[in-house]
Amino acid sequence: MDINRLTRLSEFAWRIEPVNGMRVPVIIYADEALISEMDEKVAEQAANVTKLPGIIGACYAMPDAHWGYGFPIGGVAAFDALQGGVVSAGGVGFDISCGVRTLYTGLKREQIEPLKTVLADALYATVPVGVGSRGKIRLSPTEMDEMLTGGAEWAVKQGYGRPEDLERIEERGRMAGARPEAVSSHAKERQRAEMGTLGSGNHYLEIQEVSEIYDPAIAAAFGLAQGDVVVTIHCGSRGLGHQIGTDFLKRMQGAAAQYGIALPDRELACAPIESPVGQEYLGAMRAAINCALANRQIITHLTRKVFAEILPEARLDLLYDVSHNTCKVEEHLVQGRKKLVYVHRKGATRAFGPGHPDLPMVFRETGQPVLIGGSMGTASYILAGTADSETLSFASACHGAGRAMSRHQAVRTWSGREVVDQLAARGIIVRSPSWRGVAEEAPGAYKDVHDVVIAADRAGLARLVAQVKPIVCIKG
DNA sequence: ATGTCC
């Protein structure tokens, strides 16, 4: 990105002034190196978003932003329904409610080390992974609707997990306002056999070690110490969310024309929040959020079953579960006054700070855990929400390492086998059904997530708490 | 991300 076009606000914040039909500015959080590497299309796409009706404040780009379908990935935009604000399927993304959950094992690295191959094989045999992977669960139409309304709460009632898990899940495990009847039968059919499956791409299940502590006080409050072993699950709403995205992108193209919304890019298809299509999308998207929460809950249950057989002393209590692809109605300060706005976070993690009333008591003083998944074989990070993020970014932070290289280029550069061998030489065990998938996800194909979280911390979006490094990686 | 193109 050409930094000469930007106004520098601070060492970690940049601004594009509103010109040529932009209703509000664009604010990008990054250091000079990250913003120089950032694709020009991030600025272009974020500027396009600011031209949509009812946008509030600014369109924000996180330090890991890269170009996406319509909206940049790593983009945040909030809209006011009372000012003709819109909701956009491209502003949420195809993998609705993709997110990360981390579990404590209560074990140290030394206890895992002799059993890591056994654990890797058992997890790989138990958790279905890969494109089109199917689980053992088959949902009837009635059960599907109950799952889409109940989320992780439904999953726990079915025996997949513990009631105490729910408090440590965004929305306490159940997104209100879901409308299963707004989800196409095609989307439901695609999901029928996909509950409890990991999917592909950058999704993973990892056994990780806490390798660095940056904020001892918050780490202690989160129950994390150097050498602790945790399990992290990164996945989303599988075929259902993808189909909802596809269905509504098409319907929103019609709606935008019908309501006379001038689209700077046809990929920014959207509908007024208060229109029938807008309301149906919100209902369907919330159903997909519940699908993702239930999915991560079932994978948690499968993970616990594996540990119960191999390392029964492992606790596998939940630290937290948070999404990075959603549109949520939230109260935010707008020009000094509290207001309900529709916050799109696409590749941006919700990051509520200390005292936020939606957080469980256990995180009221620290702010919520902000879970940032790294690329395969590299580190992931645990941050904490800050009080500042409210005014900086509608309480949002980054979500992970963006790609530095296309999938095609990665496959030409590495073979899956050599990537697995190189990671094995570093003590990291990878299990995947796809050599090609592993090559596409090679660590070298991604930007360094460390630079991203440092920038997020310095910009004030979230506070860096701990680094975790993989021991075992189950990869789609 | 995705029954990696209806």
Side-chain angles (χ1 to χ4, degrees), chain A residues 126-439:
Chain A
T126 306
V127 180
V129 299
V131 178
S133 51
R134 293 156 66 92
K136 287 183 179 166
I137 300 166
R138 296 288 178 278
L139 297 184
S140 70
T142 306
E143 289 170 322
M144 176 66 67
D145 286 358
E146 286 169 359
M147 181 276 288
L148 294 175
T149 310
E153 188 183 284
W154 168 85
V156 169
K157 277 186 199 148
Q158 302 300 303
Y160 306 117
R162 312 165 184 162
E164 60 267 32
D165 293 338
L166 299 175
E167 187 183 65
R168 287 167 177 262
I169 301 172
E170 191 174 352
E171 304 294 339
R172 288 178 168 73
R174 178 181 181 275
M175 184 71 221
R179 289 174 57 184
E181 79 280 6
V183 178
S184 67
S185 51
H186 187 194
K188 292 175 182 176
E189 182 53 37
R190 282 182 67 172
Q191 192 59 29
R192 204 173 81 84
E194 289 195 339
M195 293 311 296
T197 66
L198 200 62
S200 63
N202 66 355
H203 291 168
Y204 59 76
L205 187 161
E206 283 186 351
I207 302 175
Q208 301 160 326
E209 172 188 13
V210 177
S211 45
E212 195 91 47
I213 298 284
Y214 304 99
D215 187 316
I218 299 181
F222 284 177
L224 299 167
Q226 183 91 22
D228 281 359
V229 173
V230 297
V231 172
T232 297
I233 297 160
H234 177 199
C235 65
S237 54
R238 306 286 288 110
L240 181 122
H242 191 269
Q243 191 60 46
I244 290 170
T246 305
D247 291 343
F248 278 91
L249 226 30
K250 197 171 173 192
R251 290 181 63 187
M252 283 178 173
Q253 258 152 17
Q258 185 190 336
Y259 290 96
I261 300 168
L263 297 180
D265 174 353
R266 70 191 299 273
E267 293 186 356
L268 285 178
C270 58
I273 290 161
E274 296 197 326
S275 68
V277 179
Q279 287 295 308
E280 279 184 52
Y281 175 72
L282 286 166
M285 181 214 56
R286 289 166 184 153
I289 291 177
N290 282 327
C291 177
L293 296 179
N295 194 35
R296 292 195 284 275
Q297 187 65 36
I298 294 168
I299 294 171
T300 299
H301 172 75
L302 297 173
T303 302
R304 285 170 173 162
K305 266 176 60 175
V306 167
F307 272 85
E309 287 192 11
I310 297 167
L311 266 167
E313 61 270 45
R315 283 163 37 207
L316 295 166
D317 296 333
L318 186 53
L319 165 62
Y320 202 56
D321 180 314
V322 63
S323 301
H324 47 240
N325 284 356
T326 59
C327 176
K328 308 272 289 278
V329 187
E330 294 171 4
E331 197 174 62
H332 286 284
L333 275 176
V334 178
Q335 291 167 338
R337 292 179 58 188
K338 288 198 169 183
K339 195 169 199 169
L340 279 182
V341 292
Y342 289 71
V343 185
H344 295 68
R345 294 189 183 89
K346 180 185 190 181
T349 310
R350 192 201 68 173
F352 284 162
H356 196 287
D358 285 1
L359 292 181
M361 287 314 292
V362 63
F363 300 130
R364 282 285 169 89
E365 288 187 21
T366 54
Q368 68 162 83
V370 177
L371 307 174
I372 306 303
S375 49
M376 180 178 61
T378 63
S380 296
Y381 294 85
I382 297 170
L383 292 80
T386 62
D388 291 345
S389 67
E390 162 68 33
T391 48
L392 289 172
S393 58
F394 293 113
S396 314
C398 55
H399 85 303
R403 290 200 81 88
M405 190 186 280
S406 71
R407 293 185 176 279
H408 189 73
Q409 200 180 345
V411 167
R412 282 186 317 195
T413 310
W414 297 283
S415 79
R417 195 176 291 271
E418 78 180 305
V419 171
V420 167
D421 289 347
Q422 281 167 5
L423 291 172
R426 289 169 40 206
I428 302 165
I429 299 177
V430 178
R431 291 287 181 271
S432 171
S434 166
W435 291 114
R436 185 187 171 87
V438 169

Side-chain angles (χ1 to χ4, degrees), chain A residues 22 76 79 120 172 386:
Chain A
M22 292 169 63
V76 177
F79 295 83
R172 288 178 168 73
T386 62

